[in-house]
Amino acid sequence: MNKDDKILIIGAGLCGSLLALRLAQRGFMVTVYESRPDLRTTDISAGRSINLSLSGRGLKALRLCGMEAKAKEICIPMFGRLMHDTEGNTFSSDYSGRDNECINSISRGELNAILLDAAEAHENVALYFNKQCEKVDIENNIAHFVDYKTKEKFSVHADVIFGGDGAGSSLRKSYVAERAFLFSYSQAYLNHGYKELEIPADVSGKHQISNAHLHIWPRGDFMLIALPNMDGSFTVTLFLSYNEGEFNFENLTTEEKITEFFEKEFPDALALIPNIKEEFINNPTGPLGTIKCAPWSYQNKTLLIGDSSHAIVPFYGQGMNASFEDVYVLDEILDQNLGSWEAVFKAYQNTRKKDTDAIADLAIDNFHEMRNHVANPIFKEKRIVEMNLEKTFPTEYFSKYSMVTFKEHIGYNEAMVRGRAQDKALLNLITSNAISTAPDMEKEELKVVLKKVQQKTEEILKEALTGVL
Amino acid sequence: MNKDDKILIIGAGLCGSLLALRLAQRGFMVTVYESRPDLRTTDISAGRSINLSLSGRGLKALRLCGMEAKAKEICIPMFGRLMHDTEGNTFSSDYSGRDNECINSISRGELNAILLDAAEAHENVALYFNKQCEKVDIENNIAHFVDYKTKEKFSVHADVIFGGDGAGSSLRKSYVAERAFLFSYSQAYLNHGYKELEIPADVSGKHQISNAHLHIWPRGDFMLIALPNMDGSFTVTLFLSYNEGEFNFENLTTEEKITEFFEKEFPDALALIPNIKEEFINNPTGPLGTIKCAPWSYQNKTLLIGDSSHAIVPFYGQGMNASFEDVYVLDEILDQNLGSWEAVFKAYQNTRKKDTDAIADLAIDNFHEMRNHVANPIFKEKRIVEMNLEKTFPTEYFSKYSMVTFKEHIGYNEAMVRGRAQDKALLNLITSNAISTAPDMEKEELKVVLKKVQQKTEEILKEALTGVL
């Protein structure tokens, strides 16, 4: 590998554009082909999440590329969840007991535009839009494209090809189609789909409900969430089964039924969504899937990165953060001067795959937790203890959520393993009345709780390590 | 659903032909299209396992179709494993402590021929060979074929289409390609591949080594196994990494290196394989993969059955047995008169999928166990205790292997869950010296061991059920 290597990136979405920027900063010759029109000049939001959560890991990668400050200008910080019950009552739950720890609501399109501008400012970067990749000849490093406008087909040869082309990746499909390449692959769908709706700004352009929270209407088998936008609106997302339960996407086909559903389950949200019927009927219903695969690379020629290698469900707010962190980890590997792209790709997967597998599993866990546990008394008690521990011992205690979301210097896998053991320890100690869950404990008393939790967590971790079979 | 429904089965392999026979016996109109030539008139063994293990679950399904006696005529019973070390020493390990419990080595081709003959004897069955299914239009129940000889393309419409077309199923690929159908799918390859070799019969046509055993040469990272054939020969299979370790399929490319490998690792086997070099170089190396997917059916139109829905690795000797048991389970569901194919397909998957998932996982476990544990002292002690328990309490004690292989009236999943808990209990009791592992215990002493194992197993099962999180 050397600086003259021609690098082709398929996809100029969030991951592809950040990768282009970083590789350009490292001095490589980078060409990017994107199937969609340039989002800086065309409105192409339809069917994709309008806003996303940006937190520690994403910010870490943006910082590496000198983009943190620019991104923060369009961030709306959210310090906790605000839960809404069917009576319209709300209660809040902070994400962390530490001050200033928050996640950010950010516009996918605006962030992407900032990254494209920054990448394009480098003379060693060329961006092309409306070029759909149809397949990649991985043996000969050739990507085959079709021009969306002229319908003309053409091929591009490169020394290295990166597939930053998302969950429907054409590079990944080329891996699957290559029979001689033993490619392990899984796609797993939830029985739930999602649909986006909108709470508009009020007449003065302000947010109608708190913009410092991620709003959740948890209802067991389904839920509604809302994240604020800079223009005063909220993007609302309904997560609902395709075909199970009294109300589902297959049977919510009439205006009457849709209204009945929202009146019964989300009356306070309904009052804020004026175009509910039109939006519900016209906006697409999207599937929720997890994709895992291996190996990510083929020889010294190609690499999957971002969603193309690990699409996850959105319930931990980590999809974009995980993809950005991919770029950060790849950059660390490039610093090791391993000498060949093949060595870089192998070291990258070796470091990274356990972490993206972990966040995929954590996101599925949270799908269940957000719908159910948030209303479960024992989980509320656990949450109170954890908030107190984080407030009182901010450098010593981190909940699983905090490790995943705010402790960006440890990997997702470590966060998952330690976090799960800690959760198990806490639930164990609470159900056996071994620790107090009073909200007003003195520091000395809390110190005892902290020690017990730490000790039990270590026991559980040790047991898991030494367990026979 | 009614008896006039035209049924199309894609694939006339072991599962497709048994399914055709059973559906014909139930009075349905059955047409079968197979991509290969008729194996009763052509030698097409290349690249496929020549012999397979037939045990309780497979026999149960053959019995249902009146084929057990005919199959048994071509069975070679194997009562245990015979392990070979690098010095040529052997030691045996029975599959069960009960008399007469064995697995059978049977020729894939001969068994398939028997089933095809039996299916074809029914006037409501039509078989066609050399017709390759290219894809299935699942919405309109139309399968598209190409004739292998004339290259002519044609389509077949049916009321119901069964995909009995194996691990490379075209029906399953059509599910994957159908974007509107949320099809969860995984393919996972081991880093090991396999290659078949042959130990010929001696000059008088007899087996050169015991034909009452499955022979194993376990070597940690790789292994050789051999199963007897009716003609006095053995089919030998080498399981070896593609690219890891000192010796692997990628670097065993010269006659010298192949000979060096076998001389060092399998000297006694080498002496029995006269054509080792030619066979090693000319015979194909096959991959070892696990396929899981869901849902298996599409509406009231199509169903995946056998390997097409659950391809597994061969290390539990259950591939064919699992596919035959599919036919048995489907037949039980048909007895329930559920009224529609859709209801039948859903009930079938609901009953069956947990069991095929379980055998897929057990087969992977056994990949590790056969290579390693067979040589581990504690596993030998465990095996001694289990053999004694099965001998002394034949109706009360069943090892995990026995539950999977010989207790065909319980599902694979139950066998797995109980068997794993029992293994954990045994290893726990042995390592903590809570039970004796002496080979010559009195019945009263063994009774104490049995009670302790049963009690510990129940504890472990209960703990797994009640564990928080």
Side-chain angles (χ1 to χ4, degrees):
Chain A
M1 63 190 293
N2 61 64
K3 294 290 179 210
D4 298 334
D5 283 345
K6 275 177 56 188
I7 290 176
L8 168 61
I9 298 175
I10 307 169
L14 291 168
C15 183
S17 55
L18 188 68
L19 176 66
L21 172 59
R22 188 59 197 154
L23 291 178
Q25 289 171 338
R26 294 190 74 104
F28 290 103
M29 301 295 302
V30 182
T31 310
V32 187
Y33 286 86
E34 162 63 39
S35 63
R36 291 164 179 256
D38 188 342
L39 53 71
R40 295 168 298 180
T41 55
T42 328
D43 179 16
I44 52 161
S45 61
R48 310 190 77 186
S49 310
I50 294 163
N51 52 23
L52 297 164
S53 304
L54 175 63
S55 52
R57 295 168 199 278
L59 288 165
K60 174 181 70 174
L62 289 170
R63 198 176 310 136
L64 169 74
C65 305
M67 299 301 295
E68 188 185 20
K70 262 210 148 8
K72 283 212 160 167
E73 288 172 17
I74 53 167
C75 278
I76 304 178
M78 301 179 288
F79 292 89
R81 299 164 170 173
L82 194 72
M83 253 77 78
H84 297 244
D85 72 14
T86 51
E87 312 295 310
N89 303 313
T90 60
F91 67 99
S92 68
S93 168
D94 286 354
Y95 283 121
S96 154
R98 279 170 292 276
D99 292 340
N100 302 320
E101 272 185 353
C102 64
I103 64 176
N104 301 282
S105 178
I106 192 166
S107 155
R108 173 198 284 269
E110 285 180 53
L111 179 57
N112 205 341
I114 289 172
L115 296 175
L116 288 172
D117 285 345
E120 211 169 33
H122 288 261
E123 60 178 14
N124 49 337
V125 172
L127 304 177
Y128 300 95
F129 295 92
N130 295 305
K131 318 291 185 218
Q132 165 87 47
C133 181
E134 298 203 305
K135 64 178 176 190
V136 180
D137 173 350
I138 59 176
E139 204 56 67
N140 299 302
N141 308 29
I142 296 171
H144 297 277
F145 292 92
V146 60
D147 187 299
Y148 184 74
K149 287 180 174 166
T150 65
K151 310 293 173 202
E152 215 173 303
K153 299 196 176 208
F154 63 99
S155 306
V156 179
H157 177 271
D159 295 301
V160 184
I161 300 176
F162 287 89
D165 47 349
S169 171
S170 65
L171 177 57
R172 198 188 62 235
K173 285 178 185 161
S174 301
Y175 284 4
V176 172
E178 190 67 49
R179 282 198 62 187
F181 181 32
L182 299 184
F183 185 61
S184 291
Y185 169 71
S186 80
Q187 59 183 44
Y189 289 101
L190 298 180
N191 191 259
H192 282 56
Y194 73 96
K195 188 183 286 286
E196 289 176 345
L197 306 165
E198 191 197 31
I199 297 177
D202 68 14
V203 284
S204 59
K206 295 261 169 44
H207 291 98
Q208 297 196 61
I209 49 179
S210 164
N211 66 2
H213 289 93
L214 189 155
H215 296 260
I216 309 187
W217 291 256
R219 297 293 180 268
D221 287 340
F222 46 87
M223 70 171 175
L224 202 65
I225 68 167
L227 276 77
N229 296 313
M230 296 283 280
D231 64 2
S233 68
F234 280 83
T235 301
V236 179
T237 309
L238 171 66
F239 296 98
L240 178 69
S241 172
Y242 275 98
N243 50 26
E244 289 175 1
E246 185 189 351
F247 297 100
N248 58 55
F249 279 122
E250 279 183 16
N251 70 24
L252 285 176
T253 50
T254 63
E255 294 193 359
E256 294 69 36
K257 189 115 193 205
I258 294 162
T259 311
E260 184 196 340
F261 176 52
F262 275 78
E263 273 174 353
K264 182 175 170 201
E265 300 290 348
F266 314 114
D268 58 338
L270 179 62
L272 299 168
I273 310 175
N275 299 320
I276 178 83
K277 292 166 204 166
E278 296 75 10
E279 288 183 358
F280 198 97
I281 289 168
N282 296 328
N283 291 0
T285 305
L288 296 164
T290 300
I291 289 172
K292 294 180 181 173
C293 61
W296 288 340
S297 60
Y298 183 66
Q299 298 178 358
N300 58 349
K301 303 168 193 275
T302 60
L303 178 74
L304 297 170
I305 190 163
D307 282 8
S308 69
S309 53
H310 51 71
I312 65 179
V313 295
F315 304 103
Y316 227 109
Q318 286 293 323
M320 171 177 62
N321 294 291
S323 290
F324 280 178
E325 199 178 42
D326 283 359
V327 176
Y328 185 93
V329 172
L330 181 68
D331 188 75
E332 282 187 322
I333 304 284
L334 286 170
D335 280 344
Q336 295 173 17
N337 296 313
L338 298 176
S340 76
W341 285 108
E342 185 163 11
V344 167
F345 294 163
K346 283 192 171 168
Y348 166 69
Q349 179 178 326
N350 212 29
T351 304
R352 186 63 178 152
K353 181 154 168 57
K354 63 180 183 311
D355 290 322
T356 58
D357 282 352
I359 191 58
D361 296 347
L362 285 166
I364 296 283
D365 289 353
N366 237 27
F367 167 59
H368 301 290
E369 184 173 333
M370 283 177 87
R371 293 186 308 157
N372 299 311
H373 296 173
V374 282
N376 183 324
I378 189 175
F379 282 84
K380 280 191 191 164
E381 284 187 75
K382 169 172 168 289
R383 197 86 196 125
I384 289 168
V385 174
E386 293 203 89
M387 284 297 119
N388 281 339
L389 288 173
E390 289 196 333
K391 261 197 197 83
T392 316
F393 308 103
T395 60
E396 289 176 74
Y397 191 81
F398 294 84
S399 71
K400 183 175 75 185
Y401 185 87
S402 288
M403 285 192 262
V404 171
T405 309
F406 306 120
K407 242 186 153 173
E408 65 266 13
H409 58 283
I410 67 168
Y412 284 123
N413 184 57
E414 188 183 337
M416 178 180 73
V417 171
R418 291 203 73 83
R420 283 180 174 174
Q422 188 170 274
D423 281 349
K424 202 171 165 182
L426 270 162
L427 292 174
N428 233 303
L429 294 168
I430 294 172
T431 49
S432 63
N433 293 313
I435 55 169
S436 164
T437 60
D440 52 358
M441 274 183 269
E442 295 295 320
K443 185 163 182 178
E444 279 316 299
E445 207 181 341
L446 256 176
K447 185 93 193 168
V448 175
V449 172
L450 177 67
K451 289 292 159 209
K452 280 189 183 170
V453 173
Q454 287 174 335
Q455 195 187 336
K456 187 82 191 166
T457 302
E458 290 305 323
E459 268 174 43
I460 290 168
L461 285 169
K462 208 172 155 192
E463 202 177 293
L465 272 177
T466 57
V468 194
L469 275 191
Chain B
M1 64 191 291
N2 62 63
K3 293 291 179 207
D4 298 335
D5 283 345
K6 277 175 58 188
I7 291 175
L8 168 62
I9 298 175
I10 307 169
L14 291 167
C15 184
S17 56
L18 188 68
L19 176 66
L21 173 58
R22 188 58 198 157
L23 292 178
Q25 289 171 338
R26 294 189 73 105
F28 291 103
M29 301 295 302
V30 182
T31 309
V32 187
Y33 286 86
E34 163 63 38
S35 64
R36 290 163 178 256
D38 188 342
L39 52 73
R40 295 167 297 180
T41 56
T42 328
D43 180 15
I44 51 162
S45 60
R48 311 190 73 185
S49 312
I50 294 163
N51 52 25
L52 298 164
S53 303
L54 176 63
S55 52
R57 295 169 199 277
L59 287 165
K60 174 180 72 173
L62 290 169
R63 197 176 309 135
L64 170 75
C65 306
M67 298 302 295
E68 187 184 19
K70 262 209 148 4
K72 283 211 159 167
E73 287 171 18
I74 54 168
C75 278
I76 304 177
M78 301 180 289
F79 292 89
R81 299 165 169 173
L82 194 71
M83 254 77 79
H84 298 244
D85 72 15
T86 51
E87 312 292 311
N89 304 312
T90 59
F91 68 98
S92 69
S93 168
D94 286 354
Y95 282 120
S96 153
R98 280 169 292 276
D99 293 340
N100 302 318
E101 273 185 351
C102 64
I103 64 175
N104 300 283
S105 177
I106 192 165
S107 155
R108 173 198 284 271
E110 285 180 52
L111 179 57
N112 205 340
I114 289 171
L115 295 175
L116 287 172
D117 285 346
E120 210 167 35
H122 288 260
E123 60 177 14
N124 48 337
V125 172
L127 303 177
Y128 300 95
F129 295 92
N130 295 305
K131 318 290 186 220
Q132 166 87 48
C133 181
E134 298 202 306
K135 65 178 176 191
V136 180
D137 173 350
I138 60 176
E139 204 56 66
N140 299 301
N141 308 30
I142 296 171
H144 297 277
F145 293 92
V146 59
D147 187 298
Y148 184 75
K149 288 178 173 168
T150 65
K151 310 292 173 204
E152 215 173 302
K153 298 197 177 207
F154 62 97
S155 306
V156 178
H157 177 272
D159 295 301
V160 184
I161 300 175
F162 287 89
D165 47 349
S169 171
S170 66
L171 177 58
R172 198 189 62 235
K173 285 178 185 160
S174 300
Y175 283 5
V176 172
E178 189 68 49
R179 282 197 62 187
F181 180 32
L182 299 185
F183 185 61
S184 291
Y185 169 73
S186 79
Q187 60 184 41
Y189 290 101
L190 298 181
N191 191 259
H192 282 57
Y194 74 95
K195 189 184 284 287
E196 290 176 345
L197 307 164
E198 191 196 30
I199 296 176
D202 68 15
V203 282
S204 59
K206 295 261 170 40
H207 290 99
Q208 297 194 61
I209 49 178
S210 164
N211 66 3
H213 289 93
L214 187 155
H215 296 261
I216 309 187
W217 291 257
R219 297 293 180 267
D221 287 340
F222 46 88
M223 72 169 172
L224 203 64
I225 69 167
L227 277 75
N229 296 312
M230 296 284 279
D231 66 1
S233 68
F234 280 83
T235 301
V236 179
T237 309
L238 171 66
F239 297 97
L240 177 69
S241 172
Y242 276 98
N243 50 26
E244 290 176 358
E246 184 188 352
F247 298 99
N248 58 54
F249 280 121
E250 279 183 14
N251 70 24
L252 284 176
T253 50
T254 64
E255 294 193 359
E256 294 68 37
K257 188 115 195 208
I258 294 162
T259 311
E260 184 197 341
F261 176 51
F262 274 79
E263 272 174 353
K264 183 177 169 201
E265 300 291 348
F266 315 113
D268 58 339
L270 179 62
L272 299 168
I273 311 175
N275 299 321
I276 178 82
K277 292 167 206 163
E278 296 77 8
E279 287 182 0
F280 198 96
I281 289 166
N282 297 328
N283 291 359
T285 305
L288 296 164
T290 300
I291 289 173
K292 293 179 182 174
C293 61
W296 289 340
S297 60
Y298 182 66
Q299 297 177 357
N300 58 348
K301 302 168 194 275
T302 61
L303 179 73
L304 297 170
I305 189 163
D307 281 8
S308 68
S309 53
H310 50 71
I312 65 179
V313 294
F315 304 102
Y316 227 109
Q318 286 292 322
M320 170 176 63
N321 294 290
S323 291
F324 280 179
E325 199 179 44
D326 282 359
V327 176
Y328 185 92
V329 172
L330 181 68
D331 188 76
E332 283 187 322
I333 304 284
L334 286 169
D335 280 343
Q336 295 173 20
N337 296 312
L338 298 176
S340 75
W341 286 107
E342 185 163 11
V344 167
F345 294 163
K346 284 193 171 167
Y348 167 70
Q349 179 179 327
N350 212 28
T351 303
R352 186 63 178 153
K353 182 153 169 57
K354 64 182 182 309
D355 290 323
T356 57
D357 282 352
I359 192 59
D361 295 347
L362 284 165
I364 296 281
D365 289 353
N366 236 27
F367 168 60
H368 302 289
E369 185 172 335
M370 284 176 86
R371 293 185 309 155
N372 298 313
H373 296 173
V374 284
N376 183 323
I378 188 173
F379 282 84
K380 280 191 190 167
E381 283 188 75
K382 171 173 169 287
R383 196 87 198 125
I384 289 168
V385 175
E386 291 203 272
M387 285 296 121
N388 282 339
L389 288 173
E390 289 196 333
K391 262 197 195 83
T392 316
F393 308 103
T395 60
E396 289 175 76
Y397 190 81
F398 294 85
S399 71
K400 183 175 75 185
Y401 185 87
S402 288
M403 285 192 263
V404 171
T405 309
F406 306 121
K407 243 186 152 174
E408 64 267 13
H409 59 283
I410 67 168
Y412 284 123
N413 184 58
E414 188 183 338
M416 177 180 76
V417 172
R418 291 202 72 83
R420 283 180 174 175
Q422 188 170 272
D423 281 350
K424 202 171 169 185
L426 270 163
L427 291 174
N428 233 303
L429 293 167
I430 293 171
T431 49
S432 63
N433 294 312
I435 55 170
S436 163
T437 59
D440 52 358
M441 274 183 269
E442 295 296 318
K443 185 162 182 177
E444 277 317 298
E445 208 182 340
L446 255 177
K447 185 91 194 170
V448 175
V449 172
L450 177 67
K451 289 292 158 210
K452 281 190 182 169
V453 173
Q454 287 174 335
Q455 196 188 333
K456 187 84 191 163
T457 303
E458 291 306 320
E459 268 175 44
I460 290 168
L461 285 170
K462 208 171 155 191
E463 202 177 295
L465 272 177
T466 56
V468 195
L469 274 191

